[in-house]
Amino acid sequence: MRKEYLKLEKVEGPLIVLTNVHDVQYGELVSIRVDGSENRKGKVILIDGTRVVVQVFEGTAGISANNAAVTFTGEPMTVPVSEEILGRTFNGVGEPIDGMGEVLTNVRRNINGRPINPVARKYPRNFIQTGISAIDALMTLIRGQKLPIFSGSGINHNQLAAHIVKNARIEGDDNRNFAVVFGAMGVKHDDADFFVRSFQESGVSDHVVMYINTADAPIVERIATPRCALTAAEYLAFELDMHVLVILTDMTSYAEALREISSAKEEVPSRKGYPGYLYSDLSTIYERAGMIKGREGSITLIPILTMPNDDITHPIPDLTGFITEGQIVLSRELNQKGIYPPIDILPSLSRLMKDGIGKDYTREDHADLASQIFAAYSRVQDVRSLSQIIGEEDLGDIDRLYLEFGRELENRFISQGADENRSIAETLDLGWEILSMLPVTELDRIRTEFVQKYYKGKQNR
Amino acid sequence: MEHREGIVVFINGPVVKGVNMGSFKVNEMVTVGEKQLIGEVVSIDGDTATVQVYEETEGLKVGEKIHYTGRPLSVTLGPGMLGNIFDGIQRPLAKINEISADFIPEGIGLLTLDDQKKWDVTVTARPGDFLQPGTVYATVQETLSIVHKLMVPANISGRVAEAKPDGPYTLNDTVVVLETPDGRRVDLTLCSKWPVRQARPVKKRLPIYKPLITGQRVIDSFFPIAKGGTVGIPGGFGTGKTVTQHQLAKWSDADIIIYIGCGERGNEMTDVLEEFPALIDPRTNRPLMERTILIANTSNMPVAAREASIYTGIAMAEYYRDMGYDVAVMADSTSRWAEALREISGRLEEMPAEEGYPAYLPSRLAEFYERAGCVETLGGQEASITIIGAVSPPGGDFSEPVTENTKRFVSAFLALDKKLAYARHYPSINYLTSYSGYAGVLENWYSENVSPDMMKLRTKMMRLLQEEAKLNEIVQLVGEDVLPNDQALVLEMARIIKKGFLQQNALHREDTYTTLEKQYKMLMVIDTLYENALKAVKMGIPVSTIRSLDVVQEVLKMKFDIPNDRTELLDQLHDRIVNDFSELSRKYE
């Protein structure tokens, strides 16, 4: 029987402080029994001699200096993993909340994991067809990639994520080796329900593992949620050889929880009050995506975050963008125009795309076509701001063609039905069709041979 | 010798304090706890020492022991570094992977270069020779393109008492025994140790005079880098910092490349590991990996080792420099290193200066960049280290402390621009705000080795781009069509310079690297086009007519269509431009 400590020195924010404690491990899991019944979990975050600071995942509400019995477990925080977790729902710290009882397994894994050795990594190259033209053509998702969705509050990013889950499954997978791990931090109940329903509709729900911390659940619990989810994902991918798609939402709530703990610890804040280690901390989540040599499975990670005030330079999207392999940026303006998915293609990017597209993967002309669409759409923005000043009528001929191109691109290429699943060939052909509105002299990013083969406009000027 | 053993009393992430450590030294390497985590003493206060630990401290307990190693954090310098990948404290990642598959655990101890491998050594020292520090006593063909020279360490000199015959030796075998003037015998093996935080001595610094040729047009022609120079490359995320650094690592004409992946993505290191062995160095016809050393401390690896990785890299660079090689160091990204400093500083409860960074940030940055330079080595050879540091300013804001301070210590500043990146203008080096302090210094070299008017052409092109920027302000208000013909020509020429010259596709087989000769001739072709077009415009020929000439399309695609070794095609293009314009002007006469 482990020793119980009954006296707390201090309770502050999410932290409790104990004194006269011996034989404690840094980072170990702490079990806290409040008023003799309710069990909470904590983690040792600082040891100073016999004084120990514990972060309580469920929060400290209701804890007094005398009503808690604290036990140090001698173990780091773990979650149970097995094939049985497929189809199950857990709370933010990995306890079952679906009424189906404990997971029967002896295998438990440390939720913090350990960094993948860069030597052991396999560079991701396999294209995932999401069926969404803007993504497939311009910011191609690669199996094993971490590609976040940068959204804003009120923009329907959940629908996009569900759309990706639904379509991404089909490409060459059967249900046997495909799984979705869903980690929700501080999401609204209806958002969580939306995902549950959409997983049911797309027929994957028996291959989904959910770790859910809702908006009204304890804030500190959110620190553990993505780690539980990724620990499960690592097990499924690297031990059971499954292709795992991990959706984490909303990383903004996660970062806010981190800030709250940091300020309770009285740490020196960095930008906007977030701790200086926000980058390192986020990387220990995002970098768990990937593929490993000699293993069949993969972890593809799609974190969703809402940019506070739609500001892409805010520390959360900013630091995320520095770690992830690109980003899908959603635009409020397109959303308001009723374009779904409202993907702002210019700031969006997939860094792994260069190695996963082209002749042997998608189609030979893919890279050139994408580059030309980006260049042309960037020109569209310039022309639009010009036309606001001098009016559309006074624009030059070429500029007017660009305006028309921009409209078509948004309305026919970026925009598509909520259930629509376009093949990559359809997507690329559609791209050429719209690009062919421009005279051939404007296509300076595309090799002559591809222009001759695919361009649908008048070849002679 | 007293028995030195500290006891852990405080743990906060990578920062651990121990008591009973009064006799430990600052910067001394220690092992912490039962798992023997590797750490370094950062400060001492009476009996208490603060240690930064290079591995995960989860599971560590108060009361565990801290052991001294008696030496500062050091690198082992010897054959076996080239073509290898190390973590921030020079542990070979491949070896770690053998010990623990796929994931990096803590407590694997201090590993270093392979000491089992036999190297074919040619011993050049002869008994009776008197050797000074820096003298080569033996050589090893480390890779087919690089000869590894074993040098007498600094502060040791003496007469060769014993020299082993040529043959296979391992890292720790003695090949030469020196007898110092005071009668000590010193064994010289295939390796030596060097404290990473200390710069290796040189005979003297030399002035900078030759370029580091990168094959990247915007750099070589517009913002040249010098061998021995310092370069900062700041850019927000998605602006192509890493691709730019990779391009420099691939194509720079340095002898040795040291690529420090400091707090960046794991997959990027994997990319280099998979790509470089397959790429052939155009100068040696050997795989690029044979001249490359990778240091990978990815963002999710322990933060203290990230702080050390920069020093590990530069110490290795200095070692190869001392052999007489031109070394280029790519640090991607120095911001992550600065953040590691900040994180540790915060945990040490130091008083923060700007944005939470410690007050010593500028001096640390200066120390790092000052380890670059063109030097005469102790062995009397000319050699250099070029440092190219990527900076990742938060929010792309160049006024933040790391970018600001880097600007003070580097002479070339290649600012990556979000707007250009969004338009997929790569490399997204902003041609208006970037600068290179080496352009003047290198002018002589360019006129002697490329062409006397290379720099003149550069200035002319840059002036056109500046004029365009000014005109653009007007165009944004009134549109392009109302500009007079000569101004419209400036816009057209700027477009050609940008698309035909500055934009360079790293993934295109021909375009990824451009020789200086081709760069010069491309500039010459653009200039010819400009001069002829200018004449035509003065005759009243509209710019739209000029734009639709076939030669203009050819100029735009010359980067793709004309191979590096067929630059005579550019001369032909030049002649065609002259011809076509004279035909055009005959029509208008």
Side-chain angles (χ1 to χ4, degrees):
Chain A
M1 186 64 200
R2 287 193 165 260
K3 208 163 166 182
E4 276 195 340
Y5 294 88
L6 299 174
K7 177 99 178 110
L8 305 184
E9 188 196 69
K10 194 163 144 186
V11 183
E12 188 184 356
L15 310 178
I16 56 174
V17 179
L18 292 89
T19 45
N20 256 322
V21 183
H22 297 276
D23 210 31
V24 173
Q25 291 179 16
Y26 184 72
E28 81 173 278
L29 181 68
V30 180
S31 149
I32 304 141
R33 206 152 40 83
V34 183
D35 282 331
S37 56
E38 185 200 352
N39 266 313
R40 300 190 195 185
K41 286 179 178 175
K43 179 185 160 185
V44 175
I45 56 168
L46 187 132
I47 311 176
D48 185 359
T50 59
R51 187 170 169 272
V52 173
V53 180
V54 175
Q55 155 194 316
V56 184
F57 288 112
E58 288 87 349
T60 52
I63 296 183
S64 80
N66 302 314
N67 71 346
V70 180
T71 317
F72 294 87
T73 62
E75 298 287 333
M77 185 162 170
T78 57
V79 283
V81 287
S82 95
E83 207 168 350
E84 312 291 309
I85 61 174
L86 291 171
R88 299 291 307 267
T89 304
F90 303 89
N91 68 7
V93 287
E95 292 161 344
I97 50 169
D98 50 7
M100 291 161 70
E102 292 293 321
V103 178
L104 295 173
T105 174
N106 292 325
V107 188
R108 299 187 70 92
R109 290 277 189 270
N110 183 342
I111 63 160
N112 291 320
R114 284 297 177 264
I116 301 178
N117 192 328
V119 173
R121 278 184 188 270
K122 181 157 73 182
Y123 193 71
R125 291 176 198 278
N126 292 324
F127 150 73
I128 298 179
Q129 182 171 305
T130 64
I132 297 164
S133 290
I135 297 178
D136 288 349
L138 304 174
M139 59 214 76
T140 318
L141 180 64
I142 304 291
R143 178 162 283 161
Q145 183 172 20
K146 36 191 180 293
L147 189 65
I149 298 175
F150 288 6
S151 183
S153 34
I155 300 178
N156 204 347
H157 41 264
N158 291 344
Q159 191 183 355
L160 176 61
H163 197 165
I164 294 173
V165 169
K166 187 175 171 195
N167 290 344
R169 182 176 64 100
I170 297 161
E171 182 70 7
D173 297 323
D174 48 32
N175 259 337
R176 211 161 30 80
N177 65 356
F178 178 81
V180 176
V181 174
F182 179 70
M185 291 82 72
V187 298
K188 290 178 292 202
H189 281 276
D190 36 343
D191 285 343
D193 290 345
F194 168 82
F195 277 103
V196 173
R197 253 183 296 116
S198 77
F199 294 147
Q200 277 163 357
E201 279 163 21
S202 47
V204 291
S205 49
D206 55 343
H207 279 254
V208 178
V209 192
M210 295 201 265
Y211 294 87
I212 294 186
N213 162 278
T214 47
D216 53 356
I219 286 165
V220 188
E221 194 178 284
R222 280 167 212 169
I223 303 295
T225 310
R227 295 188 163 82
C228 295
L230 284 157
T231 305
E234 277 175 0
Y235 179 80
L236 297 173
F238 302 135
E239 296 185 44
L240 301 185
D241 292 339
M242 302 182 106
H243 291 300
V244 186
L245 189 61
V246 182
I247 310 263
L248 296 178
T249 182
D250 172 341
M251 289 307 292
T252 305
S253 308
Y254 169 82
E256 280 164 358
L258 202 65
R259 174 168 69 178
E260 192 170 326
I261 294 164
S262 170
S263 92
K265 282 160 85 177
E266 296 175 0
E267 290 171 335
V268 179
S270 166
R271 284 174 69 217
K272 301 218 170 176
Y274 290 93
Y277 51 79
L278 180 61
Y279 177 84
S280 301
D281 188 278
L282 287 174
S283 76
T284 59
I285 295 173
Y286 298 143
E287 278 287 332
R288 289 171 82 171
M291 299 181 83
I292 291 181
K293 281 182 197 146
R295 313 259 179 137
E296 285 297 307
S298 64
I299 298 179
T300 308
L301 176 59
I302 302 184
I304 299 171
L305 57 87
T306 46
M307 297 183 280
N309 211 7
D310 292 350
D311 175 12
I312 197 170
T313 67
H314 184 280
I316 301 170
D318 190 51
L319 295 176
T320 297
F322 274 118
I323 305 165
T324 53
E325 285 140 353
Q327 62 276 339
I328 299 171
V329 183
L330 303 189
S331 143
R332 192 168 296 281
E333 195 191 323
L334 291 181
N335 193 51
Q336 271 155 359
K337 281 191 196 166
I339 290 170
Y340 169 83
I343 297 176
D344 189 0
I345 62 171
L346 290 179
S348 299
L349 168 79
S350 162
R351 287 167 198 274
L352 299 185
M353 166 174 177
K354 63 183 171 64
D355 297 300
I357 62 169
K359 199 155 165 269
D360 297 326
Y361 301 96
T362 54
R363 207 168 77 185
E364 52 181 4
D365 56 317
H366 188 160
D368 286 9
L369 176 73
S371 172
Q372 189 69 61
I373 290 178
F374 278 124
Y377 193 64
S378 156
R379 170 89 179 259
V380 169
Q381 307 305 315
D382 291 343
V383 175
R384 277 183 185 162
S385 50
L386 178 62
S387 81
Q388 280 181 348
I389 297 166
I390 63 171
E392 212 172 314
E393 293 73 34
D394 287 340
L395 291 174
D397 292 342
I398 296 275
D399 282 351
R400 272 209 298 276
L401 282 176
Y402 269 104
L403 270 193
E404 190 55 31
F405 165 82
R407 275 193 290 265
E408 288 289 299
L409 191 79
E410 286 168 6
N411 292 327
R412 291 174 52 206
F413 187 82
I414 299 177
S415 174
Q416 63 187 81
D419 287 322
E420 201 176 342
N421 186 7
R422 292 184 192 152
S423 76
I424 183 67
E426 283 174 281
T427 288
L428 295 178
D429 287 343
L430 183 59
W432 274 106
E433 192 186 320
I434 294 170
L435 207 52
S436 298
M437 298 168 61
L438 298 174
V440 71
T441 44
E442 293 296 310
L443 306 189
D444 49 10
R445 303 270 180 120
I446 302 181
R447 267 161 267 193
T448 322
E449 53 197 284
F450 299 148
V451 174
Q452 281 163 0
K453 191 164 169 190
Y454 297 102
Y455 183 67
K456 299 189 178 88
K458 279 180 273 183
Q459 293 270 356
N460 310 316
R461 33 173 207 279
Chain B
M1 189 77 198
E2 57 172 320
H3 184 63
R4 298 198 301 176
E5 210 175 64
I7 294 162
V8 174
V9 292
F10 174 95
I11 311 163
N12 182 9
V15 171
V16 168
K17 288 183 190 172
V19 291
N20 195 22
M21 292 181 71
S23 59
F24 284 61
K25 294 188 202 110
V26 167
N27 284 359
E28 178 170 333
M29 200 178 2
V30 294
T31 61
V32 179
E34 283 164 19
K35 285 187 179 166
Q36 305 215 333
L37 310 174
I38 294 161
E40 183 183 358
V41 177
V42 290
S43 74
I44 291 177
D45 180 7
D47 189 39
T48 308
T50 305
V51 175
Q52 67 176 25
V53 180
Y54 294 123
E55 300 180 83
E56 175 62 55
T57 51
E58 190 180 78
L60 187 68
K61 286 180 187 172
V62 162
E64 290 190 40
K65 302 281 194 299
I66 301 176
H67 294 275
Y68 85 114
T69 62
R71 56 189 159 85
L73 182 69
S74 308
V75 281
T76 302
L77 299 168
M81 289 192 278
L82 291 175
N84 240 321
I85 177 167
F86 300 94
D87 76 355
I89 50 175
Q90 211 208 6
R91 300 186 299 184
L93 287 172
K95 215 189 255 182
I96 293 179
N97 204 42
E98 283 168 24
I99 297 171
S100 162
D102 306 339
F103 296 92
I104 303 177
E106 61 274 12
I108 39 179
L110 198 62
L111 308 165
T112 174
L113 305 179
D114 185 350
D115 57 3
Q116 301 301 315
K117 181 170 172 152
K118 295 224 181 237
W119 295 94
D120 253 323
V121 180
T122 309
V123 180
T124 53
R126 294 287 164 259
D129 291 356
F130 191 84
L131 302 186
Q132 300 283 357
T135 319
V136 175
Y137 59 86
T139 60
V140 174
Q141 193 74 45
E142 185 173 358
T143 66
L144 279 171
S145 44
I146 299 291
V147 176
H148 190 110
K149 299 167 189 165
L150 297 164
M151 300 159 291
V152 179
N155 71 38
I156 292 175
S157 57
R159 201 164 295 283
V160 176
E162 213 182 301
K164 292 276 171 61
D166 295 355
Y169 294 96
T170 63
L171 209 59
N172 293 313
D173 288 343
T174 300
V175 291
V176 168
V177 180
L178 275 193
E179 199 172 84
T180 60
D182 55 3
R184 277 186 306 127
R185 282 170 74 88
V186 180
D187 291 348
L188 299 180
T189 62
L190 300 196
C191 67
S192 55
K193 294 216 181 284
W194 188 264
V196 292
R197 294 183 199 278
Q198 195 180 330
R200 286 171 65 90
V202 296
K203 199 170 271 172
K204 65 170 186 239
R205 280 188 169 252
L206 299 173
I208 280 166
Y209 70 97
K210 57 182 175 185
L212 182 79
I213 300 162
T214 65
Q216 309 305 303
R217 292 185 295 265
V218 60
I219 296 177
D220 290 349
S221 293
F222 275 51
F223 308 106
I225 301 175
K227 285 207 173 85
T230 48
V231 186
I233 308 185
F237 67 81
T239 53
K241 266 189 318 300
T242 301
V243 176
T244 306
Q245 288 274 42
H246 281 195
Q247 283 297 91
L248 293 175
K250 281 178 201 165
W251 306 120
S252 292
D253 70 336
D255 300 309
I256 307 279
I257 300 289
I258 298 189
Y259 194 98
I260 309 169
C262 174
E264 290 289 307
R265 305 177 183 91
N267 274 332
E268 280 170 4
M269 300 316 291
T270 313
D271 189 16
V272 175
L273 277 177
E274 289 188 10
E275 192 181 6
F276 276 35
L279 285 172
I280 300 297
D281 183 348
R283 292 172 312 134
T284 58
N285 276 323
R286 298 292 312 161
L288 277 175
M289 203 61 206
E290 289 192 0
R291 64 162 194 181
T292 308
I293 301 173
L294 297 177
I295 295 174
N297 218 90
T298 57
S299 52
N300 54 339
M301 282 156 77
V303 69
R306 191 193 304 168
E307 190 267 336
S309 65
I310 289 270
Y311 297 103
T312 301
I314 198 87
M316 289 173 162
E318 286 176 339
Y319 179 65
Y320 281 98
R321 173 203 64 194
D322 291 348
M323 297 180 202
Y325 291 117
D326 289 320
V327 185
V329 177
M330 278 93 202
D332 184 14
S333 144
T334 56
S335 295
R336 304 298 162 228
W337 168 76
E339 283 165 12
L341 274 188
R342 174 170 71 184
E343 183 171 339
I344 294 160
S345 164
R347 297 206 193 242
L348 295 172
E349 295 175 357
E350 290 170 342
M351 184 69 90
E354 264 180 294
E355 289 196 17
Y357 286 105
Y360 47 77
L361 172 70
S363 60
R364 293 280 172 90
L365 273 172
E367 271 169 27
F368 170 63
Y369 281 109
E370 279 303 302
R371 286 172 84 167
C374 204
V375 303
E376 186 183 333
T377 64
L378 292 180
Q381 278 173 301
E382 184 189 307
S384 68
I385 292 180
T386 312
I387 298 184
I388 300 160
V391 185
S392 321
D397 167 18
F398 287 4
S399 67
E400 58 91 38
V402 183
T403 317
E404 271 296 309
N405 285 306
T406 301
K407 247 179 150 170
R408 290 166 54 202
F409 307 120
V410 298
S411 298
F413 188 74
L414 306 176
L416 300 184
D417 190 294
K418 205 167 215 168
K419 190 150 185 288
L420 293 178
Y422 282 2
R424 287 354 184 226
H425 171 123
Y426 289 126
S428 64
I429 295 172
N430 185 318
Y431 39 83
L432 298 171
T433 55
S434 300
Y435 58 81
S436 166
Y438 300 115
V441 185
L442 297 173
E443 196 163 352
N444 276 337
W445 191 95
Y446 274 96
S447 24
E448 279 164 28
N449 294 281
V450 188
S451 162
D453 59 348
M454 173 92 178
M455 285 292 155
K456 243 185 283 165
L457 285 178
R458 163 189 188 260
T459 319
K460 196 164 168 185
M461 300 297 151
M462 284 177 74
R463 215 188 46 231
L464 276 172
L465 290 171
Q466 271 153 6
E467 269 178 54
E468 186 228 12
K470 271 192 220 138
L471 287 176
N472 264 339
E473 287 170 18
I474 303 170
V475 169
Q476 274 165 13
L477 293 176
V478 295
E480 208 174 313
D481 290 359
V482 297
L483 288 183
N485 242 340
D486 57 331
Q487 293 187 343
L489 179 65
V490 171
L491 292 192
E492 179 61 14
M493 285 315 297
R495 185 179 78 98
I496 290 169
I497 296 169
K498 284 188 272 187
K499 298 204 164 168
F501 191 82
L502 294 181
Q503 290 179 11
Q504 190 166 356
N505 186 343
L507 305 173
H508 190 284
R509 205 170 50 85
E510 208 54 63
D511 199 25
T512 184
Y513 175 85
T514 308
T515 59
L516 277 186
E517 193 199 352
K518 183 178 167 189
Q519 293 189 28
Y520 165 67
K521 288 199 172 168
M522 286 172 78
L523 286 176
M524 187 197 67
V525 162
I526 294 173
D527 184 53
T528 309
L529 179 64
Y530 175 56
E531 290 299 335
N532 280 284
L534 200 60
K535 264 187 254 161
V537 162
K538 281 186 184 145
M539 291 171 63
I541 302 174
V543 172
S544 55
T545 311
I546 295 172
R547 180 196 283 217
S548 62
L549 288 175
D550 282 335
V551 281
V552 173
Q553 290 304 314
E554 281 187 64
V555 169
L556 282 174
K557 296 208 163 164
M558 63 186 169
K559 58 181 183 182
F560 297 129
D561 294 343
I562 297 179
N564 279 315
D565 53 2
R566 301 272 327 262
T567 51
E568 73 277 6
L569 294 174
L570 287 168
D571 298 324
Q572 293 169 15
L573 177 58
H574 168 271
D575 296 346
R576 268 205 304 287
I577 292 171
V578 176
N579 270 334
D580 286 11
F581 270 96
S582 58
E583 261 175 46
L584 182 71
S585 53
R586 267 201 298 279
K587 273 190 232 160
Y588 277 79
E589 262 165 7

